[in-house]
Amino acid sequence: GAISADLVQQQESKARAYTEIATLAERWAIMTRAQAERTDAAARFGDDPQLAQYFEQRTEEANQQIEQLRGRIEQVLRGMNDGDFAALLDQTQQARQRAIAARAQIFDRLRNGDVQGATALAEGDYRRAADAYIKTQSDLAERLKAKSLELIESSEKTADNARWTILAVAALAVAAGVVIAVSLTRGITAPLREALAVADAIAHGDLTRSVAT
């Protein structure tokens, strides 16, 4: 019972942890999508150097927040030593590198005055890289939620099994108690019946009877 209760608590604790990380992963994807929109806006308004510079600064500021969030998610997941997420984290990291490289090219071209080239990258390579990056984040969030649900279902099953085990043990204990009670009752009543039979025989003149000891 104690072991089952501890297991249920562990599973529920892990489920909460996975749910929290899933929420962070969803936030990560939202922030990355906003980052892609800022980068796209910088390319579209590249003819205005001040506006393009503004979007570049905002992109850099947002990137620091995204990196902090990404680092937190990866640190927690890798610390949990869950091999199911190792490959997905690696895929996310690869997609991230491609998106960052494409974004850097966009701002390089804008700084060099190549607005048309920056726009083409934003609508082509960068958009595909950003979409792939966001997809890996969304996939991670979905896998985390599925893992959390799996742990919740497992904890409920463990709790149900524990309850049935307790009921089975209780039933066996009751059955054993009945058997013992019947045996004790027979051990007491049988000699009494025999003693009463002997007493009745003696009362009728049969002096050959005696009570077994």
Side-chain angles (χ1 to χ4, degrees), residues 76-96:
V76 173
L77 276 180
R78 295 192 188 280
M80 295 176 76
N81 295 320
D82 194 328
D84 291 344
F85 293 97
L88 191 52
L89 283 174
D90 290 340
Q91 292 173 11
T92 304
Q93 178 67 7
Q94 293 170 8
R96 168 179 168 270

Side-chain angles (χ1 to χ4, degrees), residues 107-123:
F107 286 113
D108 284 343
R109 294 195 179 191
L110 287 175
R111 283 189 290 269
N112 292 327
D114 185 5
V115 177
Q116 185 176 359
T119 303
L121 274 173
E123 295 175 352

Side-chain angles (χ1 to χ4, degrees), residues 91-200:
Q91 292 173 11
T92 304
Q93 178 67 7
Q94 293 170 8
R96 168 179 168 270
Q97 293 295 343
R98 288 191 291 270
I100 290 175
R103 186 176 68 227
Q105 291 179 23
I106 290 173
F107 286 113
D108 284 343
R109 294 195 179 191
L110 287 175
R111 283 189 290 269
N112 292 327
D114 185 5
V115 177
Q116 185 176 359
T119 303
L121 274 173
E123 295 175 352
D125 291 349
Y126 177 68
R127 174 55 57 185
R128 287 189 291 272
D131 288 345
Y133 184 25
I134 293 169
K135 184 179 185 305
T136 61
Q137 296 167 330
S138 299
D139 289 346
L140 176 63
E142 291 303 315
R143 287 277 297 277
L144 285 165
K145 287 188 286 187
K147 184 72 173 182
S148 176
L149 182 60
E150 176 185 331
L151 286 168
I152 291 172
E153 291 175 348
S154 179
S155 69
E156 290 175 350
K157 183 177 180 181
T158 300
D160 287 340
N161 290 339
R163 282 191 289 269
W164 280 111
T165 299
I166 292 171
L167 289 174
V169 171
L172 288 173
V174 170
V178 170
V179 171
I180 293 172
V182 170
S183 298
L184 288 174
T185 301
R186 287 178 177 175
I188 294 171
T189 58
L192 286 175
R193 288 196 189 98
E194 183 181 356
L196 288 173
V198 171
D200 185 63

Side-chain angles (χ1 to χ4, degrees), residues 12-26:
E12 291 178 346
S13 177
K14 282 187 176 181
R16 286 193 297 270
Y18 280 119
T19 300
E20 291 173 1
I21 302 173
T23 302
L24 293 178
E26 289 177 334

